[in-house]
Amino acid sequence: DGMHPHDDAKEISYGGVIINENGEILLRKPKGERGGYKWTFAKGGADDTDASLEEAAMREVKEETGLDCQIVGNIPGHFQSDVNNKFFLMKVTGGNNKHYQSNETEDVQFFSKADAEAQINLTGDDNDQGMKRDLAVLNAAFHEHHKSKDTHDKLNETLHSMNTKGPTKHVEWADAALE
């Protein structure tokens, strides 16, 4: 979209929402519950080394969770808290978050959607605005995740019915197109 991260770098933070193949979502526990958050998503501002908004989001996720991720979708809209937040849907491609700790993160864990909601709700009055934003992000991320999963399944079904005799050639092509 040609937007450079530094156009309004002050107001915007970029983050990633990781949903694994079991449909669980990754949350991080900030060191010392910084910002009043018990559990939240990885995010942060762009810096001069980031070539794009996407790169800023992936770098922040790596710094705060220890995981290498790839963006699989855009979570539409901006989410307000004390700053404007833009999130991308991601999947893990490498790295390790087992007992991951950094100067910003105390713990990193995958939760079911219901558990993630409960963990986010623990923030409560300590940061009501941030908590509401995280709940909105959670719902938007799952909405996007299901949408892309449905598209993927439909595409595969269509290709199967077009090509019932042959093996999986077309299906492999569908996967490649969605990577």
Side-chain angles (χ1 to χ4, degrees):
D1 59 351
M3 210 184 119
H4 197 265
H6 307 294
D7 294 350
D8 18 48
K10 277 188 244 4
E11 288 99 49
I12 297 200
S13 99
Y14 304 96
V17 179
I18 300 159
I19 299 178
N20 68 15
E21 55 285 353
N22 305 323
E24 297 167 322
I25 196 160
L26 189 81
L27 293 177
R28 58 177 284 266
K29 192 179 191 49
K31 266 265 162 71
E33 297 183 358
R34 185 163 162 241
Y37 294 105
K38 306 291 186 278
W39 290 88
T40 186
F41 297 107
K43 63 183 174 311
D47 73 23
D48 296 339
T49 59
D50 298 321
S52 65
L53 315 184
E54 290 79 2
E55 204 174 286
M58 289 188 288
R59 179 185 50 74
E60 281 295 334
V61 166
K62 171 77 175 171
E63 283 175 10
E64 297 189 352
T65 67
L67 295 171
D68 296 304
C69 288
Q70 183 187 329
I71 290 177
V72 291
N74 175 32
I75 299 171
H78 282 80
F79 298 88
Q80 280 301 140
S81 56
D82 51 338
V83 291
N84 218 339
N85 300 270
K86 173 84 201 115
F87 287 91
F88 296 95
L89 198 57
M90 298 187 184
K91 70 170 187 190
V92 176
T93 56
N96 179 12
N97 73 333
K98 276 271 173 287
H99 311 301
Y100 178 77
Q101 289 198 328
S102 72
N103 56 356
E104 295 179 61
T105 300
E106 206 170 294
D107 194 10
V108 175
Q109 229 174 300
F110 276 101
F111 294 99
S112 70
K113 182 174 190 267
D115 287 344
E117 218 159 278
Q119 298 299 335
I120 289 170
N121 270 306
L122 292 175
T123 292
D125 294 339
D126 291 334
N127 185 341
D128 190 54
Q129 201 184 14
M131 178 186 76
K132 288 193 171 81
R133 180 214 54 222
D134 282 347
L135 291 171
V137 171
L138 179 76
N139 286 314
F142 271 98
H143 181 74
E144 232 20 63
H145 176 68
H146 289 308
K147 223 165 63 179
S148 61
K149 216 163 108 43
D150 289 349
T151 310
H152 188 261
D153 293 345
K154 278 198 196 70
L155 184 57
N156 274 338
E157 272 165 42
T158 312
L159 291 162
H160 269 300
S161 58
M162 278 164 48
N163 180 28
T164 41
K165 291 190 193 65
T168 58
K169 268 227 170 31
H170 287 287
V171 179
E172 279 163 23
W173 165 83
D175 279 333
L178 283 155
E179 286 288 290

